[in-house]
Amino acid sequence: MERWALRLRVFLFFAFLASGALLVAGGAMLLAWSRSDPAVPAAPFLTAFVIFAILNTGVIVAIWLLFDENVAKPINRLSADLRMRAHADVTDKLETETARYLGDLAPAAAALTDKAASNVEDTAAQIARETNRLGAEQKRLAALLTESPIATILTNPAGEIVLYDAQAASILSEIAPPRLKAPMEDYFEPSCLTDAYAMTEASQHFDLRPRSEGSVLKARVKALGEDGHMFFIDPPVANDGAAAARPLVFDFDLMHAASPPDLKDQRLSELCYVVLDLETTGLSVTQDAVVQIGAVRVVNGSQVPGEELSTFVDPCRPIPPASTRIHRVTDTDVKGAPPISVAGRTLHNFSSGAVLVAHNAPFDIGLLKRFAAEAKVEWTHPVLDTVLLSAVAFGTTEEHSLDALCERLSVTIFPEDRHTALGDARVTAAALVRLLPMLEGMGYTTFGALQPELERQARRLYAIA
């Protein structure tokens, strides 16, 4: 019962209250009839009981509705607002109007959040100064690595990529999309890597063979003890500076990351996510086609700079004008674009080892699975739906559209990016980043712990549709 929602418990309280009143009234009338003259019929007593039952139930239902609207719902909203400020870095002023019937609770909560916000601002100013210093050092490091003709990749003890520079990104992208936390085996032949790990001299070159068709690369590897390995790869062609625009990508929190073998035991904040959005010719999973794909990667609870995918897709049919008015994709835009058989495979490679996330996921994932055979892939990835995550965090009575969710979480949506695949993927990812700590704060710390609640919310929301 402790896990039951507040509004359910309130409803049960009033239901028990109504049932108790009916039992007492029924018992009283039964006692009165049993002690009356035997000649008196039971019908008047029964009629009186029925009238009482109708009136009593109506009054209690009316009181319950008022209590639910003015007490239970505002408490839920207030608790969700406080949780956003505690876990999701939302700093907007607390809305107290909806909780106006809760006495001094809302003003007290607002005063507490204002006090906490002032302390956070002081801390944030110190962090900003330190971040600026580290940012300058990162730019210098990125410039040094970019000017060097040698590609650099750092891996953790599990052989997963923790850092790669612009040259390495260029090499990796010829094989598969570059991704933090991706195993080196996704890009290069395992036998080559096994030989490399066995080397004791960092100056010794070895052949690094890509998993796909491509030139064999010359590389060196330096063991970092228990901290993984550093790979130095000679680029197949001289560096012409074209890769300089790509940032140095790294996350040193991945150095000693060890994920449990079973997905259900992995923490939500430590999973890799690919947040995607599809723009289509219409709203039918079975009849319409994809015209644009956008996807971004979220690792360790943050969007990874540069790890994005955006492409038009040739639907092999005219795009209806009504659809173009929404996503602004025209027949000219998709002319010469890859078909879904190619674009779907690219997205599949980009999503390797990740949890797929989408807003109203049954639509996007349904389309991907429909075209899976054409792309020669299988979409067996675990999936999260931000509609359901929003319902878990804020309750089913709130609006769960992407615009409403982003407004609630103080995620800015630029009008020119709305209803573009990459734009919607980015804001959905930003919402996910703020939802994850909220969910963990509610006790849903692992993927497995969250699943039963998501299934319950899915029955509530999607069964109605």
Side-chain angles (χ1 to χ4, degrees), residues 274-285 288-295 309 311-313 326-327 329 340 343-344 347-348 351 356-371 379 418-425 428:
V274 166
V275 187
L276 61 92
D277 181 73
L278 308 180
E279 299 301 332
T280 62
T281 57
L283 299 177
S284 172
V285 173
D288 286 300
V290 180
V291 300
Q292 191 179 35
I293 296 175
L309 174 67
T311 180
F312 288 115
V313 181
I326 296 174
H327 50 54
V329 179
I340 189 62
L347 177 62
H348 191 272
S351 306
L356 298 181
V357 181
H359 198 76
N360 189 21
F363 178 77
D364 297 84
I365 305 303
L367 273 168
L368 291 177
K369 289 185 175 181
R370 178 178 149 216
F371 293 107
W379 291 99
R418 186 67 173 103
H419 294 300
T420 67
L422 184 58
D424 284 356
T428 303

Side-chain angles (χ1 to χ4, degrees), residues 47-376:
T47 301
F49 175 75
V50 171
I51 294 174
F52 173 82
I54 294 173
L55 294 177
N56 174 77
T57 302
V59 169
I60 290 182
V61 166
I63 296 174
W64 165 68
L65 289 173
L66 287 172
F67 193 90
D68 183 65
E69 187 65 32
N70 296 294
V71 178
K73 283 185 180 180
I75 288 176
N76 277 350
R77 292 193 186 101
L78 186 60
S79 63
D81 285 346
L82 291 173
R83 199 175 297 280
M84 282 194 297
R85 284 152 182 80
H87 300 293
D89 297 328
V90 174
T91 57
D92 292 350
K93 190 172 181 61
L94 190 70
E95 176 58 55
T96 60
E97 178 61 23
T98 57
R100 59 187 179 277
Y101 297 118
L102 299 181
D104 196 44
L105 179 60
L112 180 62
T113 56
D114 289 344
K115 178 65 176 177
S118 64
N119 294 334
V120 168
E121 288 176 359
D122 295 337
T123 304
Q126 299 176 8
I127 294 175
R129 288 192 293 270
E130 185 65 16
T131 300
N132 288 335
R133 183 183 68 81
L134 293 175
E137 293 182 357
Q138 178 186 336
K139 288 179 180 179
R140 284 195 290 271
L141 176 60
L144 288 172
L145 290 175
T146 298
E147 291 172 3
S148 169
I150 304 299
T152 305
I153 299 176
L154 173 64
T155 64
N156 62 16
E160 299 171 333
I161 296 175
V162 172
L163 173 150
Y164 59 87
D165 65 0
Q167 285 78 9
S170 179
I171 292 173
L172 294 175
S173 62
E174 294 295 323
I175 308 167
R179 313 184 314 277
L180 286 182
K181 210 175 185 303
M184 284 287 281
E185 287 84 353
D186 282 4
Y187 301 92
F188 305 105
E189 290 292 341
S191 59
C192 297
L193 298 172
T194 301
D195 294 341
Y197 294 144
M199 292 181 178
T200 57
E201 294 293 333
S203 60
Q204 185 178 357
H205 279 79
F206 67 96
D207 290 339
L208 192 58
R209 292 191 298 274
R211 296 204 68 151
S212 62
E213 294 183 4
S215 303
V216 175
L217 303 167
K218 291 295 183 181
R220 291 177 293 114
V221 63
K222 179 176 177 56
L224 304 177
E226 297 181 355
D227 292 329
H229 294 79
M230 182 77 80
F231 288 83
F232 304 98
I233 307 172
D234 296 336
V237 294
N239 180 27
D240 59 1
R246 187 180 180 92
L248 177 71
V249 180
F250 64 92
D251 185 347
F252 291 126
D253 288 337
L254 298 174
M255 281 299 294
H256 301 287
S259 301
D262 198 331
L263 175 66
K264 67 181 180 63
D265 297 325
Q266 296 185 33
R267 293 186 65 88
L268 292 176
S269 57
E270 296 175 355
L271 287 167
C272 290
Y273 302 93
V274 166
V275 187
L276 61 92
D277 181 73
L278 308 180
E279 299 301 332
T280 62
T281 57
L283 299 177
S284 172
V285 173
T286 59
Q287 301 296 325
D288 286 300
V290 180
V291 300
Q292 191 179 35
I293 296 175
V296 300
R297 295 188 80 242
V298 172
V299 177
N300 265 358
S302 300
Q303 293 187 52
V304 183
E307 293 192 357
E308 296 181 340
L309 174 67
S310 179
T311 180
F312 288 115
V313 181
D314 186 354
C316 301
R317 68 178 73 174
I319 303 175
S323 298
T324 296
R325 282 195 293 270
I326 296 174
H327 50 54
R328 303 184 294 281
V329 179
T330 66
D331 292 328
T332 302
D333 293 325
V334 300
K335 185 178 181 180
I340 189 62
S341 59
V342 175
R345 189 160 55 251
T346 301
L347 177 62
H348 191 272
N349 291 337
F350 184 74
S351 306
S352 178
V355 176
L356 298 181
V357 181
H359 198 76
N360 189 21
F363 178 77
D364 297 84
I365 305 303
L367 273 168
L368 291 177
K369 289 185 175 181
R370 178 178 149 216
F371 293 107
E374 292 184 33
K376 298 180 181 179

